Amino acid sequence: MQFGTISACFTYVVLLCLVVGEQPGTRWIKRILMGRPSITQVELVEGREIIGKQSSWLVTLEGFDTPEKASELQGATMLVRADDRPASLGEEEDYIPDLVGMDVIIEETKEKIGTIVDIHNSGASDLLRVQLTASKRGKDVLIWIPFVKDIVPVVDIEAKRVEIRPPEGLLDLNVPSEGLTRKEMRKEERKRKAIFSAIRKRLTALGQAHVLDGLTTGDETQRQALMDQLMTIDFGRLQQALQHAFGLLSSDSVAGELQPPPTIPQANWADFESWTNTKKYKKRPANSDNDTARWWFKGLQLVADGEVAVVVLAGGQATRLGPGGPPVKGMLELNLPEAKSLFEIQAERLLLVQELASQVYPEAAPQIPWIVLTSDATDAPTRAFFDEKEYFGLDESQVWFVKQDSLPCVDLEEGHNILLESPWKLAVAPTGNGGLFSALHAQNIVDRLSEEGVRYVQVYSVDNALVRVGDPVFFGYAHEKEADVGVKVVKRNSPDEAVGVVCLHKDSEENPTHEDLDTSSEDDSESDDTDMTRESSTSSYYGVLEYNEMTDTLRTAKEGDDLVYRAAHICVNLFSVDYLMKLANPKLELGFHTALKRIPFMKEDESGEWATHVPDQPNGIKLEQFIFDAFKHCDPEKVALLEVNRNEEFAPIKNASGEGIPDTAETARDMLLALQNRLSSTSPEAGQDGETNSSLLRAYICGI
């Protein structure tokens, strides 16, 4: 809930707002730093109301006990949890967040004219900031509407709409005139110069002032493009990411005791045809001796009850797949023999799961949210592709696009200068699959999932052609194990297979783990920061040991005929929504790793000319977060590993096609067709009653 802006006042902070509350505890401060919103957790020590012409509060915040510290919060906004708001309101009172997003309807004609995007208090009354449905010259139009009873007689919170009775000329009067006035232009110019000054100061302090060289050349459009990009980048986060990543390189990243996971249960689909027998199918066996069947039916119940969602990691481009490929991996087509993109194959599997759930639970009509994680490079083409394909038969409302952050790429030289794609564009890269968590929280997706009753979220990579999207077995297994993290694994093929392996770490370190941080309490204000970091704590946690981190001894160790470290991570994971909530804690933010890449760049030579360089060896670093680093903060008893058949669920597409090259579009297509052929040749006749269910289940398993 937004309370109001803040102005500095010595050791206190004055809030211009209606209600703050005197109860000490956790609050959050929202500020704009380097052009981007930043939220910081603070502790309210005490507060009291100041009676005057306008209601305000005088509060004391822990740690803000000097004029200098208080001034840091000037112009900021204080936030509290929505659940902590007073439950009862006075007559004709509403909370601001409940109004934002509501439709604005003309009372007489019932015509929708726009949407409320903000509320402003002018002192005498509130004003609704409304974005009109009809644009003007291709641009959005924002107008002000007085929030008074005579003009806004109806506020329907449940229906998410307000009805207005505007006086003649009000709507036209509010429409802004073409262009900016001279006063507005001067104001915008002062604002631009202030932002530029702050950016220059920060870049100079970081030794990265060279990225501003493009502002002395090119046309106004190019220079503005550079300024626009600079305003979107959190350079403080870049510095922290570099420090963490190179700190890992200088330390022993696999220090401590390593152990293979305990015995891992296996998903066995061998007799799946028997599940589709009509009588058994409708019985929905909760106590079946067949583990996989039991998990399947429990998972279908979760689907039918609207308690699951799916995330596809689709931020990667298809550059590694060779020339002539699509701009986005998910758009890659496989000839099966009918050409289908990876997105289409996965959407069809989602539709099949929904249909299978409705077969078992006829009263249900589930729509599984499909969250598509994109990046700066893939967002626009992905959205356009989904529009073009009419969302592959899915309801448009169940597809949620979320764009993850990017960070600049830096060179390998000492100082790690930011690389430039052109004089007016920094070379940037997505923050890796581990960037999922911050993106979900920044765009309020986790809160939305929680509000809609979702309990479990499956996460997978778009380039796995055999992935079982929305897998009921996976959901049912995790639910039975009461897990917060689920991990699918396959057996490593050989000691030389370049895959990461899941293992248990037993380590002593200073970073907070699941034992150091109790995030189960709803009242965070009672936590003691001195307990967040221990001088030395021994903990066990799951992690993934990457192939290049494994010694020869670990890589080749055997137990009988099997490799000891054989649980290959295939980037098909599951997280409870409760656990995703916990990962919002800043102290649990994932660290960064370095990825050495060949990154084309431009550089100004001695004569002042800009020249393009295309390296033939790795010359730069992309900073990435890994999704499996999130396992570390989960109690190992709450991590559920499930072994699946590689030939049924893991067909990655990583490389350009070529003779003898693994993990290509051709090898993935061959695995899909081989699975279909095996099931077609071995499946018994289903019988009349079970024919429909059997056909749907076979189609889901085959994925085509």
Side-chain angles (χ1 to χ4, degrees):
M1 171 185 176
Q2 177 172 317
F3 280 133
T5 54
I6 297 173
S7 57
C9 183
F10 295 102
T11 61
Y12 293 97
V13 178
V14 178
L15 285 79
L16 305 178
C17 53
L18 297 178
V19 180
V20 170
E22 300 177 359
Q23 181 66 37
T26 302
R27 302 292 189 270
W28 289 265
I29 295 295
K30 181 178 180 180
R31 292 177 285 177
I32 302 298
L33 301 177
M34 300 298 291
R36 303 182 68 185
S38 172
I39 296 178
T40 306
Q41 182 174 309
V42 297
E43 291 297 319
L44 174 65
V45 178
E46 61 180 353
R48 60 185 175 86
E49 187 174 9
I50 303 295
I51 305 299
K53 291 183 178 180
Q54 188 176 28
S55 297
S56 63
W57 282 73
L58 192 67
V59 301
T60 302
L61 301 179
E62 185 178 293
F64 292 88
D65 50 6
T66 67
E68 292 75 21
K69 291 295 292 183
S71 66
E72 293 178 10
L73 303 183
Q74 189 166 1
T77 300
M78 178 171 280
L79 311 173
V80 299
R81 293 185 186 276
D83 293 344
D84 294 336
R85 304 183 304 187
S88 60
L89 293 173
E91 187 177 354
E92 297 183 359
E93 288 185 342
D94 301 287
Y95 284 119
I96 287 176
D98 294 339
L99 296 174
V100 173
M102 294 177 70
D103 293 337
V104 180
I105 310 293
I106 300 292
E107 183 185 38
E108 183 178 2
T109 64
K110 303 304 179 185
E111 174 194 1
K112 176 183 174 181
I113 65 160
T115 305
I116 300 173
V117 295
D118 197 7
I119 291 89
H120 174 70
N121 183 269
S122 63
S125 66
D126 290 321
L127 295 172
L128 302 180
R129 185 69 157 164
V130 177
Q131 180 174 309
L132 297 184
T133 302
S135 61
K136 189 172 183 180
R137 295 192 177 183
K139 295 183 178 180
D140 294 335
V141 177
L142 296 169
I143 65 170
W144 295 106
I145 295 178
F147 191 32
V148 295
K149 185 72 174 179
D150 290 343
I151 297 177
V152 189
V154 177
V155 178
D156 191 334
I157 296 295
E158 292 187 1
K160 295 186 179 301
R161 59 186 277 158
V162 299
E163 295 188 7
I164 65 172
R165 193 184 297 155
E168 184 177 354
L170 174 67
L171 300 183
D172 294 333
L173 179 66
N174 277 269
V175 174
S177 58
E178 294 291 336
L180 297 175
T181 65
R182 289 186 178 182
K183 182 178 179 180
E184 289 172 332
M185 291 177 65
R186 288 195 297 269
K187 183 178 179 180
E188 287 297 314
E189 180 64 17
R190 288 195 299 269
K191 180 179 177 181
R192 190 185 71 84
K193 287 182 177 180
I195 293 173
F196 174 70
S197 177
I199 292 175
R200 177 184 289 279
K201 184 176 180 181
R202 170 57 66 91
L203 289 172
T204 301
L206 296 176
Q208 302 284 0
H210 67 282
V211 305
L212 299 173
D213 291 346
L215 296 176
T216 62
T217 185
D219 58 35
E220 179 61 29
T221 300
Q222 292 169 320
R223 294 194 296 271
Q224 187 59 49
L226 175 58
M227 280 296 300
D228 290 343
Q229 185 186 29
L230 292 174
M231 290 177 61
T232 68
I233 295 173
D234 187 338
F235 291 100
R237 191 178 187 216
L238 171 64
Q239 185 180 30
Q240 293 173 354
L242 284 168
Q243 290 172 347
H244 182 272
F246 284 96
L248 283 181
L249 288 178
S250 62
S251 65
D252 184 356
S253 59
V254 294
E257 181 183 346
L258 291 177
Q259 297 175 349
T263 302
I264 303 174
Q266 298 180 357
N268 183 3
W269 295 76
D271 58 349
F272 75 91
E273 294 282 357
S274 66
W275 308 351
T276 60
N277 176 280
T278 301
K279 293 180 180 178
K280 290 183 179 179
Y281 209 64
K282 290 184 176 179
K283 188 178 178 183
R284 310 163 195 165
N287 299 310
S288 171
D289 292 335
N290 184 321
D291 290 340
T292 308
R294 185 176 68 253
W295 300 331
W296 169 265
F297 285 104
K298 180 57 188 178
L300 286 183
Q301 182 183 346
L302 294 169
V303 172
D305 291 342
E307 297 184 8
V308 304
V310 172
V311 173
V312 55
L313 303 171
Q317 297 174 275
T319 51
R320 288 181 56 187
L321 305 183
V328 178
K329 270 190 177 182
M331 296 166 59
L332 180 70
E333 289 188 343
L334 303 181
N335 296 317
L336 299 169
E338 177 187 355
K340 289 185 179 181
S341 69
L342 291 172
F343 279 138
E344 182 176 0
I345 293 169
Q346 292 159 20
E348 288 179 351
R349 285 193 165 189
L350 206 58
L351 287 166
L352 284 167
V353 169
Q354 293 176 175
E355 177 64 22
L356 286 161
S358 64
Q359 291 280 340
V360 181
Y361 298 90
E363 69 281 4
Q367 287 190 344
I368 301 173
W370 192 21
I371 302 165
V372 184
L373 185 73
T374 65
S375 63
D376 287 333
T378 67
D379 188 66
T382 298
R383 290 173 185 262
F385 190 64
F386 272 70
D387 279 335
E388 177 191 344
K389 301 299 182 180
E390 297 181 340
Y391 291 80
F392 312 103
L394 293 164
D395 191 301
E396 182 177 348
S397 65
Q398 74 184 101
V399 181
W400 308 351
F401 294 99
V402 177
K403 188 171 73 170
Q404 70 179 113
D405 289 338
S406 294
L407 281 177
C409 304
V410 300
D411 65 23
L412 290 175
E413 302 297 326
E414 185 177 355
H416 306 297
N417 284 342
I418 294 172
L419 294 172
L420 300 176
E421 188 175 315
S422 78
W424 312 281
K425 186 176 182 181
L426 279 61
V428 298
T431 52
N433 53 32
L436 165 72
F437 305 109
S438 58
L440 291 181
H441 284 288
Q443 295 168 58
N444 298 317
I445 298 298
V446 179
D447 289 336
R448 182 177 174 186
L449 291 170
S450 179
E451 290 167 1
E452 296 193 7
V454 174
R455 298 175 64 186
Y456 301 103
V457 180
Q458 180 196 17
V459 182
Y460 70 91
S461 294
V462 71
D463 57 9
N464 181 358
L466 276 176
V467 64
R468 291 193 176 152
V469 183
D471 182 7
V473 168
F474 200 19
F475 288 126
Y477 170 65
H479 179 80
E480 184 174 284
K481 297 295 183 181
E482 299 181 349
D484 280 325
V485 173
V487 186
K488 281 193 177 186
V489 300
V490 300
K491 283 186 179 179
R492 284 171 62 210
N493 273 333
S494 71
D496 297 323
E497 185 182 10
V499 293
V501 296
V502 181
C503 55
L504 267 171
H505 293 252
K506 194 169 185 180
D507 204 357
S508 295
E509 55 180 60
E510 295 181 355
N511 293 326
T513 66
H514 62 89
E515 294 180 354
D516 296 303
L517 183 58
D518 179 9
T519 52
S520 61
S521 172
E522 294 182 1
D523 185 6
D524 291 336
S525 65
E526 296 180 1
S527 64
D528 183 359
D529 283 348
T530 60
D531 290 334
M532 298 299 295
T533 303
R534 301 177 181 174
E535 290 185 2
S536 177
S537 98
T538 302
S539 59
S540 295
Y541 59 91
Y542 276 101
V544 173
L545 189 62
E546 297 220 82
Y547 178 76
N548 57 8
E549 296 176 331
M550 298 179 71
T551 63
D552 289 340
T553 301
L554 292 175
R555 192 179 296 117
T556 60
K558 283 198 170 185
E559 184 178 56
D561 293 332
D562 291 327
L563 294 167
V564 172
Y565 294 92
R566 59 182 176 272
H569 181 249
I570 60 174
C571 204
V572 179
N573 299 308
L574 175 147
F575 300 94
S576 72
V577 171
D578 286 343
Y579 189 61
L580 291 178
M581 288 284 193
K582 294 177 182 180
L583 290 176
N585 191 311
K587 293 182 172 63
L588 297 186
E589 184 178 5
L590 306 189
F592 282 84
H593 303 260
T594 58
L596 304 186
K597 301 288 184 178
R598 290 186 295 111
I599 305 173
F601 66 99
M602 289 191 74
K603 188 175 182 180
E604 198 172 11
D605 59 25
E606 294 179 356
S607 64
E609 296 293 325
W610 288 87
T612 300
H613 301 263
V614 181
D616 54 9
Q617 297 292 330
N619 66 303
I621 296 168
K622 293 182 180 180
L623 294 160
E624 297 180 345
Q625 294 173 305
F626 297 156
I627 195 169
F628 50 72
D629 281 344
F631 303 169
K632 177 177 183 178
H633 302 298
C634 186
D635 185 330
E637 296 298 321
K638 291 286 188 177
V639 178
L641 274 60
L642 181 65
E643 184 179 318
V644 297
N645 189 318
R646 175 191 296 266
N647 293 325
E648 295 177 357
E649 299 199 34
F650 187 45
I653 303 174
K654 304 289 186 184
N655 303 313
S657 299
E659 187 175 353
I661 297 177
D663 300 341
T664 66
E666 280 69 23
T667 60
R669 178 203 60 200
D670 292 345
M671 290 181 70
L672 274 166
L673 294 176
L675 177 59
Q676 184 185 44
N677 291 336
R678 285 199 306 274
L679 293 180
S680 298
S681 61
T682 59
S683 297
E685 294 297 325
Q688 216 167 16
D689 290 336
E691 186 174 351
T692 301
N693 294 330
S694 178
S695 175
L696 289 173
L697 185 51
R698 257 201 317 275
Y700 175 71
I701 294 172
C702 291
I704 52 177

